[in-house]
Amino acid sequence: MNLQELVSGPMGNQLISNLSNQMGIKNENVAAAVSVALPFLLTQMNRNAQSGAGASSLDNALNQHAQRPVAGAVNNFNLADGLGILGHLFGNRQNQVAQNIGKQSGISSGQVMQIMAVLAPIVMSYLGREKQQQNVGASGLSGLLGGLLGGMSQSNQREMSAIEQMLDSNNDGNISDDIVNIGSRLLGGFFRK
């Protein structure tokens, strides 16, 4: 399975259907939110992997999540785990991210937060397995994530770029300093779970 399947493949269809039924919103709105959120989550994780401490912490977290089956996560949502991941990735910008994804997908920011909270542990489980299968260590995580981002559709990349521009409040071309200090201070708590 590749991550694009979480948007358009059988496992993605199952995830979208499960979320749609649980939340009482249309499949196409859930699919739109997933297609925007997925590359954005990967981008934030990739930014975390740019520093030595961040890469090491992410490596440890992915090793733990690799033990959790992706298919199981699609059917058994772990919202607490997902909300923790989102909190550490986006800090106090979570609502801003959710509002912008909501505008693009036609649902409320609260619904987007639920979708992202379900999606985040699935992404971590998938990445953990990919890293093990490819025998990638902490130093190779940025390359792994960059390769996955490069494989995302042009449409997904454009949507993600629009959100990144919105978050770059100081217009320096780097959202990591605008979102939150995603160095070892934040990663420490999250990635030691």
Side-chain angles (χ1 to χ4, degrees), residues 3-24:
L3 278 175
Q4 192 65 38
E5 290 180 35
L6 284 179
V7 179
S8 58
M11 190 174 289
N13 290 337
Q14 182 179 355
L15 172 65
I16 288 163
S17 177
N18 290 350
L19 283 167
S20 177
N21 291 335
Q22 179 181 336
M23 299 171 69

Side-chain angles (χ1 to χ4, degrees), residues 29 32 36 96-109 112 163 166:
N29 295 112
V36 177
Q96 193 175 6
V97 171
Q99 285 170 3
N100 279 272
I101 293 173
K103 286 177 186 174
Q104 295 185 52
S105 55
I107 59 177
S108 73
S109 59
V112 171
I163 294 172
M166 174 275 302

Side-chain angles (χ1 to χ4, degrees), residues 70-90:
V70 176
V74 167
N75 293 309
N76 301 298
F77 305 148
N78 186 341
L79 291 179
D81 186 23
L83 289 171
I85 293 168
L86 296 178
H88 290 289
L89 283 176
F90 302 117

